[in-house]
Amino acid sequence: NNAKISVELFLQQTLDYMDFNNRSNSCQRLLQHCCHTLQASGGIVCSIKDKATKMEPLFYYDAHNHPIGKILCNYTWEEMEVYFGEDGFSICSDLNAIPDDVFHEKNTGFIKSAISKVITINGQDEYLLTFFHRHKLHTWTESEQDIIVQTSKLYSLLFDESF
C-alpha cells in the first residue's frame, strides 16, 4: 500500500501546525505528519554539517515507539554521500538486497525499505531526512518522493535561522 494523498493536501495540512516561533516543535510535528502521510513506520532528521562526524538524530519518530537503535548513527556523511544521486535522494525498496558492508547495514533491526533526502540550506547540504518501513518491502512512488521533496524544503525553512 502506498500513500494516496496529493502534495497540495499535504502542504495545506502543514499550515495547521507550522510555527516559526517554535521551530523545534514544528520540526517534530512535520516528521510525524510526513510519516503518517507516507504510511511509513518512522522517520529521522540528522545533521550532516560535519561530514566526518557520526550522524546524530535531531528528530526521530516511530509509529510503534521502537527505540532508535543504530539507524544511521554508526555512519558519517562522508561514508554515505556516495549513495546519493544528484537529486539528493537515496532510495532502497529492499534493504535485504544490499550487501552487509553498505551503509544500510542489516542489523538496524526490522527496517526493510528506506528513502533519504538531503536538506540543503543556502546551497549547502546540512541535514538528512530519512523515512523507513519496518517489516515490509516498499516501492517509493513518485508522489511519495514529491511529498518528501516538499518536506525537505519545509525543513530547510525551519532550519534556516535567517528565515
Side-chain angles (χ1 to χ4, degrees), residues 103-140:
F103 76 93
H104 284 298
E105 68 182 27
K106 291 180 182 176
N107 73 1
T108 56
F110 319 98
I111 296 175
K112 302 291 185 197
S113 305
I115 186 168
S116 296
K117 175 76 174 89
V118 173
I119 300 169
T120 59
I121 299 176
N122 299 321
Q124 299 295 312
D125 295 346
E126 297 207 9
Y127 300 93
L128 186 64
L129 173 64
T130 300
F131 295 98
F132 56 86
H133 282 280
R134 295 183 187 272
H135 310 295
K136 74 171 188 167
L137 300 180
H138 182 78
T139 301
W140 301 93

PDB file of all heavy atoms in Angstrom, residues 103-140:
ATOM      1  N   PHE A 103      26.094   1.116   3.673  1.00  0.00           N
ATOM      2  CA  PHE A 103      25.650   1.912   4.815  1.00  0.00           C
ATOM      3  C   PHE A 103      24.345   1.464   5.451  1.00  0.00           C
ATOM      4  O   PHE A 103      24.152   1.651   6.626  1.00  0.00           O
ATOM      5  CB  PHE A 103      25.577   3.399   4.446  1.00  0.00           C
ATOM      6  CG  PHE A 103      24.397   3.797   3.609  1.00  0.00           C
ATOM      7  CD1 PHE A 103      23.241   4.252   4.212  1.00  0.00           C
ATOM      8  CD2 PHE A 103      24.452   3.756   2.237  1.00  0.00           C
ATOM      9  CE1 PHE A 103      22.157   4.638   3.458  1.00  0.00           C
ATOM     10  CE2 PHE A 103      23.376   4.149   1.469  1.00  0.00           C
ATOM     11  CZ  PHE A 103      22.226   4.590   2.092  1.00  0.00           C
ATOM     12  N   HIS A 104      23.431   0.842   4.729  1.00  0.00           N
ATOM     13  CA  HIS A 104      22.193   0.342   5.338  1.00  0.00           C
ATOM     14  C   HIS A 104      22.464  -1.050   5.900  1.00  0.00           C
ATOM     15  O   HIS A 104      21.961  -2.036   5.394  1.00  0.00           O
ATOM     16  CB  HIS A 104      21.069   0.268   4.302  1.00  0.00           C
ATOM     17  CG  HIS A 104      20.470   1.580   3.951  1.00  0.00           C
ATOM     18  ND1 HIS A 104      19.824   2.371   4.865  1.00  0.00           N
ATOM     19  CD2 HIS A 104      20.403   2.235   2.773  1.00  0.00           C
ATOM     20  CE1 HIS A 104      19.390   3.455   4.262  1.00  0.00           C
ATOM     21  NE2 HIS A 104      19.732   3.405   2.999  1.00  0.00           N
ATOM     22  N   GLU A 105      23.290  -1.157   6.938  1.00  0.00           N
ATOM     23  CA  GLU A 105      23.642  -2.484   7.424  1.00  0.00           C
ATOM     24  C   GLU A 105      22.398  -3.206   7.937  1.00  0.00           C
ATOM     25  O   GLU A 105      21.459  -2.604   8.447  1.00  0.00           O
ATOM     26  CB  GLU A 105      24.726  -2.408   8.489  1.00  0.00           C
ATOM     27  CG  GLU A 105      24.309  -1.766   9.789  1.00  0.00           C
ATOM     28  CD  GLU A 105      25.465  -1.695  10.751  1.00  0.00           C
ATOM     29  OE1 GLU A 105      26.618  -1.638  10.304  1.00  0.00           O
ATOM     30  OE2 GLU A 105      25.192  -1.690  11.954  1.00  0.00           O
ATOM     31  N   LYS A 106      22.398  -4.512   7.798  1.00  0.00           N
ATOM     32  CA  LYS A 106      21.211  -5.304   8.089  1.00  0.00           C
ATOM     33  C   LYS A 106      20.838  -5.322   9.570  1.00  0.00           C
ATOM     34  O   LYS A 106      19.702  -5.571   9.911  1.00  0.00           O
ATOM     35  CB  LYS A 106      21.397  -6.726   7.587  1.00  0.00           C
ATOM     36  CG  LYS A 106      21.407  -6.797   6.069  1.00  0.00           C
ATOM     37  CD  LYS A 106      21.587  -8.212   5.599  1.00  0.00           C
ATOM     38  CE  LYS A 106      21.631  -8.252   4.078  1.00  0.00           C
ATOM     39  NZ  LYS A 106      21.901  -9.588   3.579  1.00  0.00           N
ATOM     40  N   ASN A 107      21.773  -5.068  10.458  1.00  0.00           N
ATOM     41  CA  ASN A 107      21.447  -5.167  11.873  1.00  0.00           C
ATOM     42  C   ASN A 107      20.714  -3.944  12.411  1.00  0.00           C
ATOM     43  O   ASN A 107      20.557  -3.795  13.612  1.00  0.00           O
ATOM     44  CB  ASN A 107      22.706  -5.457  12.703  1.00  0.00           C
ATOM     45  CG  ASN A 107      23.616  -4.257  12.832  1.00  0.00           C
ATOM     46  OD1 ASN A 107      23.326  -3.180  12.331  1.00  0.00           O
ATOM     47  ND2 ASN A 107      24.735  -4.451  13.497  1.00  0.00           N
ATOM     48  N   THR A 108      20.214  -3.093  11.545  1.00  0.00           N
ATOM     49  CA  THR A 108      19.464  -1.931  12.015  1.00  0.00           C
ATOM     50  C   THR A 108      18.081  -2.327  12.494  1.00  0.00           C
ATOM     51  O   THR A 108      17.276  -1.484  12.822  1.00  0.00           O
ATOM     52  CB  THR A 108      19.344  -0.844  10.925  1.00  0.00           C
ATOM     53  OG1 THR A 108      18.765  -1.420   9.765  1.00  0.00           O
ATOM     54  CG2 THR A 108      20.679  -0.228  10.607  1.00  0.00           C
ATOM     55  N   GLY A 109      17.799  -3.598  12.549  1.00  0.00           N
ATOM     56  CA  GLY A 109      16.511  -4.029  13.079  1.00  0.00           C
ATOM     57  C   GLY A 109      15.628  -4.561  11.987  1.00  0.00           C
ATOM     58  O   GLY A 109      16.060  -5.315  11.132  1.00  0.00           O
ATOM     59  N   PHE A 110      14.405  -4.152  12.028  1.00  0.00           N
ATOM     60  CA  PHE A 110      13.401  -4.694  11.131  1.00  0.00           C
ATOM     61  C   PHE A 110      13.197  -3.809   9.915  1.00  0.00           C
ATOM     62  O   PHE A 110      12.191  -3.930   9.249  1.00  0.00           O
ATOM     63  CB  PHE A 110      12.067  -4.808  11.861  1.00  0.00           C
ATOM     64  CG  PHE A 110      12.187  -5.297  13.271  1.00  0.00           C
ATOM     65  CD1 PHE A 110      12.188  -4.400  14.327  1.00  0.00           C
ATOM     66  CD2 PHE A 110      12.293  -6.652  13.537  1.00  0.00           C
ATOM     67  CE1 PHE A 110      12.294  -4.848  15.622  1.00  0.00           C
ATOM     68  CE2 PHE A 110      12.396  -7.107  14.835  1.00  0.00           C
ATOM     69  CZ  PHE A 110      12.399  -6.204  15.884  1.00  0.00           C
ATOM     70  N   ILE A 111      14.095  -2.919   9.645  1.00  0.00           N
ATOM     71  CA  ILE A 111      13.893  -1.978   8.542  1.00  0.00           C
ATOM     72  C   ILE A 111      14.072  -2.709   7.218  1.00  0.00           C
ATOM     73  O   ILE A 111      15.102  -3.319   6.966  1.00  0.00           O
ATOM     74  CB  ILE A 111      14.843  -0.779   8.661  1.00  0.00           C
ATOM     75  CG1 ILE A 111      14.503  -0.024   9.929  1.00  0.00           C
ATOM     76  CG2 ILE A 111      14.721   0.125   7.438  1.00  0.00           C
ATOM     77  CD1 ILE A 111      15.419   1.113  10.235  1.00  0.00           C
ATOM     78  N   LYS A 112      13.043  -2.630   6.396  1.00  0.00           N
ATOM     79  CA  LYS A 112      13.049  -3.332   5.107  1.00  0.00           C
ATOM     80  C   LYS A 112      13.258  -2.380   3.934  1.00  0.00           C
ATOM     81  O   LYS A 112      13.846  -2.757   2.934  1.00  0.00           O
ATOM     82  CB  LYS A 112      11.724  -4.075   4.899  1.00  0.00           C
ATOM     83  CG  LYS A 112      11.405  -5.087   5.976  1.00  0.00           C
ATOM     84  CD  LYS A 112      12.334  -6.259   5.920  1.00  0.00           C
ATOM     85  CE  LYS A 112      11.917  -7.304   6.938  1.00  0.00           C
ATOM     86  NZ  LYS A 112      12.952  -8.259   7.220  1.00  0.00           N
ATOM     87  N   SER A 113      12.713  -1.162   4.034  1.00  0.00           N
ATOM     88  CA  SER A 113      12.791  -0.187   2.946  1.00  0.00           C
ATOM     89  C   SER A 113      13.071   1.191   3.526  1.00  0.00           C
ATOM     90  O   SER A 113      12.597   1.496   4.621  1.00  0.00           O
ATOM     91  CB  SER A 113      11.467  -0.132   2.180  1.00  0.00           C
ATOM     92  OG  SER A 113      11.097  -1.400   1.715  1.00  0.00           O
ATOM     93  N   ALA A 114      13.819   1.996   2.786  1.00  0.00           N
ATOM     94  CA  ALA A 114      14.133   3.348   3.273  1.00  0.00           C
ATOM     95  C   ALA A 114      14.320   4.303   2.113  1.00  0.00           C
ATOM     96  O   ALA A 114      14.644   3.897   0.996  1.00  0.00           O
ATOM     97  CB  ALA A 114      15.396   3.323   4.136  1.00  0.00           C
ATOM     98  N   ILE A 115      14.083   5.562   2.423  1.00  0.00           N
ATOM     99  CA  ILE A 115      14.327   6.627   1.460  1.00  0.00           C
ATOM    100  C   ILE A 115      14.914   7.805   2.232  1.00  0.00           C
ATOM    101  O   ILE A 115      14.449   8.135   3.318  1.00  0.00           O
ATOM    102  CB  ILE A 115      13.034   7.031   0.715  1.00  0.00           C
ATOM    103  CG1 ILE A 115      13.324   8.049  -0.400  1.00  0.00           C
ATOM    104  CG2 ILE A 115      11.964   7.519   1.682  1.00  0.00           C
ATOM    105  CD1 ILE A 115      12.145   8.264  -1.344  1.00  0.00           C
ATOM    106  N   SER A 116      15.962   8.398   1.708  1.00  0.00           N
ATOM    107  CA  SER A 116      16.610   9.535   2.350  1.00  0.00           C
ATOM    108  C   SER A 116      16.719  10.684   1.366  1.00  0.00           C
ATOM    109  O   SER A 116      16.926  10.474   0.167  1.00  0.00           O
ATOM    110  CB  SER A 116      18.010   9.165   2.844  1.00  0.00           C
ATOM    111  OG  SER A 116      17.954   8.173   3.845  1.00  0.00           O
ATOM    112  N   LYS A 117      16.608  11.889   1.887  1.00  0.00           N
ATOM    113  CA  LYS A 117      16.699  13.105   1.068  1.00  0.00           C
ATOM    114  C   LYS A 117      17.549  14.121   1.808  1.00  0.00           C
ATOM    115  O   LYS A 117      17.342  14.378   2.997  1.00  0.00           O
ATOM    116  CB  LYS A 117      15.290  13.676   0.827  1.00  0.00           C
ATOM    117  CG  LYS A 117      15.257  15.008   0.083  1.00  0.00           C
ATOM    118  CD  LYS A 117      15.519  14.825  -1.395  1.00  0.00           C
ATOM    119  CE  LYS A 117      15.339  16.115  -2.184  1.00  0.00           C
ATOM    120  NZ  LYS A 117      16.548  16.903  -2.281  1.00  0.00           N
ATOM    121  N   VAL A 118      18.505  14.693   1.107  1.00  0.00           N
ATOM    122  CA  VAL A 118      19.356  15.734   1.671  1.00  0.00           C
ATOM    123  C   VAL A 118      18.547  17.026   1.803  1.00  0.00           C
ATOM    124  O   VAL A 118      17.770  17.370   0.916  1.00  0.00           O
ATOM    125  CB  VAL A 118      20.590  15.964   0.773  1.00  0.00           C
ATOM    126  CG1 VAL A 118      21.405  17.152   1.252  1.00  0.00           C
ATOM    127  CG2 VAL A 118      21.441  14.705   0.721  1.00  0.00           C
ATOM    128  N   ILE A 119      18.738  17.706   2.913  1.00  0.00           N
ATOM    129  CA  ILE A 119      18.125  19.026   3.137  1.00  0.00           C
ATOM    130  C   ILE A 119      19.225  20.059   2.969  1.00  0.00           C
ATOM    131  O   ILE A 119      20.239  20.009   3.670  1.00  0.00           O
ATOM    132  CB  ILE A 119      17.510  19.130   4.550  1.00  0.00           C
ATOM    133  CG1 ILE A 119      16.424  18.067   4.735  1.00  0.00           C
ATOM    134  CG2 ILE A 119      16.967  20.536   4.796  1.00  0.00           C
ATOM    135  CD1 ILE A 119      15.948  17.934   6.178  1.00  0.00           C
ATOM    136  N   THR A 120      19.031  20.959   2.029  1.00  0.00           N
ATOM    137  CA  THR A 120      20.033  21.996   1.788  1.00  0.00           C
ATOM    138  C   THR A 120      19.547  23.337   2.323  1.00  0.00           C
ATOM    139  O   THR A 120      18.354  23.630   2.295  1.00  0.00           O
ATOM    140  CB  THR A 120      20.360  22.136   0.291  1.00  0.00           C
ATOM    141  OG1 THR A 120      19.166  22.450  -0.406  1.00  0.00           O
ATOM    142  CG2 THR A 120      20.946  20.866  -0.279  1.00  0.00           C
ATOM    143  N   ILE A 121      20.484  24.105   2.821  1.00  0.00           N
ATOM    144  CA  ILE A 121      20.207  25.461   3.280  1.00  0.00           C
ATOM    145  C   ILE A 121      21.228  26.364   2.618  1.00  0.00           C
ATOM    146  O   ILE A 121      22.436  26.157   2.752  1.00  0.00           O
ATOM    147  CB  ILE A 121      20.285  25.569   4.814  1.00  0.00           C
ATOM    148  CG1 ILE A 121      19.238  24.656   5.439  1.00  0.00           C
ATOM    149  CG2 ILE A 121      20.097  27.012   5.266  1.00  0.00           C
ATOM    150  CD1 ILE A 121      19.264  24.601   6.932  1.00  0.00           C
ATOM    151  N   ASN A 122      20.734  27.355   1.885  1.00  0.00           N
ATOM    152  CA  ASN A 122      21.604  28.285   1.158  1.00  0.00           C
ATOM    153  C   ASN A 122      22.635  27.544   0.309  1.00  0.00           C
ATOM    154  O   ASN A 122      23.810  27.894   0.285  1.00  0.00           O
ATOM    155  CB  ASN A 122      22.289  29.251   2.130  1.00  0.00           C
ATOM    156  CG  ASN A 122      21.290  30.090   2.889  1.00  0.00           C
ATOM    157  OD1 ASN A 122      20.279  30.531   2.332  1.00  0.00           O
ATOM    158  ND2 ASN A 122      21.534  30.294   4.172  1.00  0.00           N
ATOM    159  N   GLY A 123      22.193  26.472  -0.356  1.00  0.00           N
ATOM    160  CA  GLY A 123      23.055  25.729  -1.260  1.00  0.00           C
ATOM    161  C   GLY A 123      23.988  24.726  -0.605  1.00  0.00           C
ATOM    162  O   GLY A 123      24.749  24.054  -1.299  1.00  0.00           O
ATOM    163  N   GLN A 124      23.944  24.597   0.723  1.00  0.00           N
ATOM    164  CA  GLN A 124      24.826  23.673   1.443  1.00  0.00           C
ATOM    165  C   GLN A 124      24.033  22.468   1.950  1.00  0.00           C
ATOM    166  O   GLN A 124      22.949  22.625   2.515  1.00  0.00           O
ATOM    167  CB  GLN A 124      25.481  24.377   2.639  1.00  0.00           C
ATOM    168  CG  GLN A 124      26.347  25.559   2.257  1.00  0.00           C
ATOM    169  CD  GLN A 124      27.551  25.141   1.437  1.00  0.00           C
ATOM    170  OE1 GLN A 124      28.254  24.205   1.782  1.00  0.00           O
ATOM    171  NE2 GLN A 124      27.780  25.836   0.331  1.00  0.00           N
ATOM    172  N   ASP A 125      24.600  21.263   1.790  1.00  0.00           N
ATOM    173  CA  ASP A 125      23.996  20.056   2.353  1.00  0.00           C
ATOM    174  C   ASP A 125      24.219  20.085   3.863  1.00  0.00           C
ATOM    175  O   ASP A 125      25.359  20.027   4.319  1.00  0.00           O
ATOM    176  CB  ASP A 125      24.642  18.801   1.767  1.00  0.00           C
ATOM    177  CG  ASP A 125      24.389  18.658   0.274  1.00  0.00           C
ATOM    178  OD1 ASP A 125      23.513  19.367  -0.255  1.00  0.00           O
ATOM    179  OD2 ASP A 125      25.080  17.829  -0.349  1.00  0.00           O
ATOM    180  N   GLU A 126      23.128  20.191   4.635  1.00  0.00           N
ATOM    181  CA  GLU A 126      23.289  20.340   6.083  1.00  0.00           C
ATOM    182  C   GLU A 126      22.558  19.298   6.920  1.00  0.00           C
ATOM    183  O   GLU A 126      22.952  19.019   8.041  1.00  0.00           O
ATOM    184  CB  GLU A 126      22.856  21.741   6.518  1.00  0.00           C
ATOM    185  CG  GLU A 126      23.734  22.800   5.896  1.00  0.00           C
ATOM    186  CD  GLU A 126      23.820  24.063   6.698  1.00  0.00           C
ATOM    187  OE1 GLU A 126      23.345  24.096   7.837  1.00  0.00           O
ATOM    188  OE2 GLU A 126      24.374  25.031   6.150  1.00  0.00           O
ATOM    189  N   TYR A 127      21.468  18.716   6.373  1.00  0.00           N
ATOM    190  CA  TYR A 127      20.684  17.757   7.142  1.00  0.00           C
ATOM    191  C   TYR A 127      20.262  16.611   6.235  1.00  0.00           C
ATOM    192  O   TYR A 127      20.271  16.729   5.015  1.00  0.00           O
ATOM    193  CB  TYR A 127      19.433  18.424   7.743  1.00  0.00           C
ATOM    194  CG  TYR A 127      19.768  19.556   8.676  1.00  0.00           C
ATOM    195  CD1 TYR A 127      19.840  20.866   8.205  1.00  0.00           C
ATOM    196  CD2 TYR A 127      20.036  19.325  10.020  1.00  0.00           C
ATOM    197  CE1 TYR A 127      20.171  21.915   9.043  1.00  0.00           C
ATOM    198  CE2 TYR A 127      20.364  20.365  10.867  1.00  0.00           C
ATOM    199  CZ  TYR A 127      20.428  21.650  10.380  1.00  0.00           C
ATOM    200  OH  TYR A 127      20.757  22.678  11.219  1.00  0.00           O
ATOM    201  N   LEU A 128      19.891  15.511   6.857  1.00  0.00           N
ATOM    202  CA  LEU A 128      19.424  14.346   6.128  1.00  0.00           C
ATOM    203  C   LEU A 128      18.073  13.929   6.693  1.00  0.00           C
ATOM    204  O   LEU A 128      17.923  13.751   7.898  1.00  0.00           O
ATOM    205  CB  LEU A 128      20.431  13.202   6.267  1.00  0.00           C
ATOM    206  CG  LEU A 128      20.141  11.951   5.446  1.00  0.00           C
ATOM    207  CD1 LEU A 128      20.198  12.270   3.959  1.00  0.00           C
ATOM    208  CD2 LEU A 128      21.156  10.862   5.785  1.00  0.00           C
ATOM    209  N   LEU A 129      17.103  13.780   5.795  1.00  0.00           N
ATOM    210  CA  LEU A 129      15.744  13.376   6.136  1.00  0.00           C
ATOM    211  C   LEU A 129      15.554  11.948   5.640  1.00  0.00           C
ATOM    212  O   LEU A 129      15.758  11.672   4.458  1.00  0.00           O
ATOM    213  CB  LEU A 129      14.753  14.315   5.441  1.00  0.00           C
ATOM    214  CG  LEU A 129      13.273  13.998   5.509  1.00  0.00           C
ATOM    215  CD1 LEU A 129      12.767  14.070   6.946  1.00  0.00           C
ATOM    216  CD2 LEU A 129      12.499  14.983   4.623  1.00  0.00           C
ATOM    217  N   THR A 130      15.188  11.035   6.537  1.00  0.00           N
ATOM    218  CA  THR A 130      15.040   9.627   6.175  1.00  0.00           C
ATOM    219  C   THR A 130      13.702   9.090   6.670  1.00  0.00           C
ATOM    220  O   THR A 130      13.302   9.368   7.801  1.00  0.00           O
ATOM    221  CB  THR A 130      16.175   8.777   6.792  1.00  0.00           C
ATOM    222  OG1 THR A 130      17.425   9.259   6.292  1.00  0.00           O
ATOM    223  CG2 THR A 130      16.029   7.303   6.452  1.00  0.00           C
ATOM    224  N   PHE A 131      13.039   8.318   5.821  1.00  0.00           N
ATOM    225  CA  PHE A 131      11.817   7.609   6.193  1.00  0.00           C
ATOM    226  C   PHE A 131      12.049   6.133   5.936  1.00  0.00           C
ATOM    227  O   PHE A 131      12.799   5.762   5.029  1.00  0.00           O
ATOM    228  CB  PHE A 131      10.622   8.104   5.374  1.00  0.00           C
ATOM    229  CG  PHE A 131      10.297   9.531   5.667  1.00  0.00           C
ATOM    230  CD1 PHE A 131      10.756  10.541   4.833  1.00  0.00           C
ATOM    231  CD2 PHE A 131       9.568   9.875   6.794  1.00  0.00           C
ATOM    232  CE1 PHE A 131      10.488  11.865   5.115  1.00  0.00           C
ATOM    233  CE2 PHE A 131       9.302  11.205   7.086  1.00  0.00           C
ATOM    234  CZ  PHE A 131       9.763  12.195   6.250  1.00  0.00           C
ATOM    235  N   PHE A 132      11.403   5.287   6.731  1.00  0.00           N
ATOM    236  CA  PHE A 132      11.614   3.854   6.581  1.00  0.00           C
ATOM    237  C   PHE A 132      10.341   3.078   6.880  1.00  0.00           C
ATOM    238  O   PHE A 132       9.418   3.578   7.530  1.00  0.00           O
ATOM    239  CB  PHE A 132      12.753   3.384   7.489  1.00  0.00           C
ATOM    240  CG  PHE A 132      12.560   3.713   8.946  1.00  0.00           C
ATOM    241  CD1 PHE A 132      11.852   2.871   9.788  1.00  0.00           C
ATOM    242  CD2 PHE A 132      13.092   4.882   9.475  1.00  0.00           C
ATOM    243  CE1 PHE A 132      11.667   3.187  11.129  1.00  0.00           C
ATOM    244  CE2 PHE A 132      12.913   5.209  10.809  1.00  0.00           C
ATOM    245  CZ  PHE A 132      12.204   4.353  11.642  1.00  0.00           C
ATOM    246  N   HIS A 133      10.332   1.856   6.354  1.00  0.00           N
ATOM    247  CA  HIS A 133       9.277   0.891   6.644  1.00  0.00           C
ATOM    248  C   HIS A 133       9.909  -0.281   7.374  1.00  0.00           C
ATOM    249  O   HIS A 133      10.919  -0.811   6.918  1.00  0.00           O
ATOM    250  CB  HIS A 133       8.611   0.383   5.360  1.00  0.00           C
ATOM    251  CG  HIS A 133       7.642   1.342   4.765  1.00  0.00           C
ATOM    252  ND1 HIS A 133       6.367   1.487   5.234  1.00  0.00           N
ATOM    253  CD2 HIS A 133       7.770   2.211   3.736  1.00  0.00           C
ATOM    254  CE1 HIS A 133       5.733   2.409   4.524  1.00  0.00           C
ATOM    255  NE2 HIS A 133       6.567   2.869   3.614  1.00  0.00           N
ATOM    256  N   ARG A 134       9.336  -0.655   8.481  1.00  0.00           N
ATOM    257  CA  ARG A 134       9.743  -1.866   9.180  1.00  0.00           C
ATOM    258  C   ARG A 134       8.835  -2.996   8.693  1.00  0.00           C
ATOM    259  O   ARG A 134       7.686  -2.766   8.372  1.00  0.00           O
ATOM    260  CB  ARG A 134       9.535  -1.716  10.686  1.00  0.00           C
ATOM    261  CG  ARG A 134      10.419  -0.657  11.322  1.00  0.00           C
ATOM    262  CD  ARG A 134      10.186  -0.648  12.835  1.00  0.00           C
ATOM    263  NE  ARG A 134      10.858   0.439  13.476  1.00  0.00           N
ATOM    264  CZ  ARG A 134      12.109   0.391  13.927  1.00  0.00           C
ATOM    265  NH1 ARG A 134      12.815  -0.703  13.775  1.00  0.00           N
ATOM    266  NH2 ARG A 134      12.647   1.438  14.517  1.00  0.00           N
ATOM    267  N   HIS A 135       9.336  -4.179   8.637  1.00  0.00           N
ATOM    268  CA  HIS A 135       8.547  -5.391   8.390  1.00  0.00           C
ATOM    269  C   HIS A 135       7.954  -5.520   7.000  1.00  0.00           C
ATOM    270  O   HIS A 135       7.238  -6.477   6.752  1.00  0.00           O
ATOM    271  CB  HIS A 135       7.411  -5.530   9.419  1.00  0.00           C
ATOM    272  CG  HIS A 135       7.863  -5.380  10.830  1.00  0.00           C
ATOM    273  ND1 HIS A 135       8.715  -6.274  11.426  1.00  0.00           N
ATOM    274  CD2 HIS A 135       7.586  -4.440  11.756  1.00  0.00           C
ATOM    275  CE1 HIS A 135       8.943  -5.895  12.669  1.00  0.00           C
ATOM    276  NE2 HIS A 135       8.278  -4.784  12.893  1.00  0.00           N
ATOM    277  N   LYS A 136       8.153  -4.563   6.088  1.00  0.00           N
ATOM    278  CA  LYS A 136       7.611  -4.750   4.734  1.00  0.00           C
ATOM    279  C   LYS A 136       8.481  -4.048   3.701  1.00  0.00           C
ATOM    280  O   LYS A 136       9.072  -3.007   3.979  1.00  0.00           O
ATOM    281  CB  LYS A 136       6.170  -4.254   4.635  1.00  0.00           C
ATOM    282  CG  LYS A 136       6.010  -2.749   4.628  1.00  0.00           C
ATOM    283  CD  LYS A 136       4.573  -2.361   4.304  1.00  0.00           C
ATOM    284  CE  LYS A 136       4.466  -0.872   4.100  1.00  0.00           C
ATOM    285  NZ  LYS A 136       3.206  -0.482   3.503  1.00  0.00           N
ATOM    286  N   LEU A 137       8.529  -4.656   2.521  1.00  0.00           N
ATOM    287  CA  LEU A 137       9.207  -4.018   1.397  1.00  0.00           C
ATOM    288  C   LEU A 137       8.277  -2.951   0.851  1.00  0.00           C
ATOM    289  O   LEU A 137       7.055  -3.070   0.931  1.00  0.00           O
ATOM    290  CB  LEU A 137       9.520  -5.047   0.319  1.00  0.00           C
ATOM    291  CG  LEU A 137      10.425  -6.203   0.746  1.00  0.00           C
ATOM    292  CD1 LEU A 137      10.656  -7.148  -0.425  1.00  0.00           C
ATOM    293  CD2 LEU A 137      11.738  -5.707   1.309  1.00  0.00           C
ATOM    294  N   HIS A 138       8.867  -1.894   0.310  1.00  0.00           N
ATOM    295  CA  HIS A 138       8.053  -0.789  -0.177  1.00  0.00           C
ATOM    296  C   HIS A 138       8.740  -0.127  -1.361  1.00  0.00           C
ATOM    297  O   HIS A 138       9.920   0.204  -1.291  1.00  0.00           O
ATOM    298  CB  HIS A 138       7.848   0.240   0.940  1.00  0.00           C
ATOM    299  CG  HIS A 138       6.976   1.378   0.543  1.00  0.00           C
ATOM    300  ND1 HIS A 138       5.601   1.264   0.480  1.00  0.00           N
ATOM    301  CD2 HIS A 138       7.268   2.642   0.160  1.00  0.00           C
ATOM    302  CE1 HIS A 138       5.092   2.431   0.099  1.00  0.00           C
ATOM    303  NE2 HIS A 138       6.089   3.281  -0.108  1.00  0.00           N
ATOM    304  N   THR A 139       7.996   0.052  -2.435  1.00  0.00           N
ATOM    305  CA  THR A 139       8.496   0.789  -3.595  1.00  0.00           C
ATOM    306  C   THR A 139       8.010   2.227  -3.456  1.00  0.00           C
ATOM    307  O   THR A 139       6.806   2.479  -3.382  1.00  0.00           O
ATOM    308  CB  THR A 139       7.968   0.169  -4.900  1.00  0.00           C
ATOM    309  OG1 THR A 139       8.409  -1.195  -4.956  1.00  0.00           O
ATOM    310  CG2 THR A 139       8.498   0.933  -6.107  1.00  0.00           C
ATOM    311  N   TRP A 140       8.945   3.161  -3.392  1.00  0.00           N
ATOM    312  CA  TRP A 140       8.628   4.573  -3.164  1.00  0.00           C
ATOM    313  C   TRP A 140       8.133   5.194  -4.467  1.00  0.00           C
ATOM    314  O   TRP A 140       8.863   5.244  -5.453  1.00  0.00           O
ATOM    315  CB  TRP A 140       9.857   5.298  -2.620  1.00  0.00           C
ATOM    316  CG  TRP A 140      10.327   4.688  -1.349  1.00  0.00           C
ATOM    317  CD1 TRP A 140      11.273   3.706  -1.209  1.00  0.00           C
ATOM    318  CD2 TRP A 140       9.840   4.960  -0.038  1.00  0.00           C
ATOM    319  NE1 TRP A 140      11.410   3.376   0.117  1.00  0.00           N
ATOM    320  CE2 TRP A 140      10.546   4.131   0.859  1.00  0.00           C
ATOM    321  CE3 TRP A 140       8.886   5.835   0.475  1.00  0.00           C
ATOM    322  CZ2 TRP A 140      10.322   4.142   2.232  1.00  0.00           C
ATOM    323  CZ3 TRP A 140       8.666   5.856   1.843  1.00  0.00           C
ATOM    324  CH2 TRP A 140       9.378   5.021   2.708  1.00  0.00           C
TER     325      TRP A 140
END
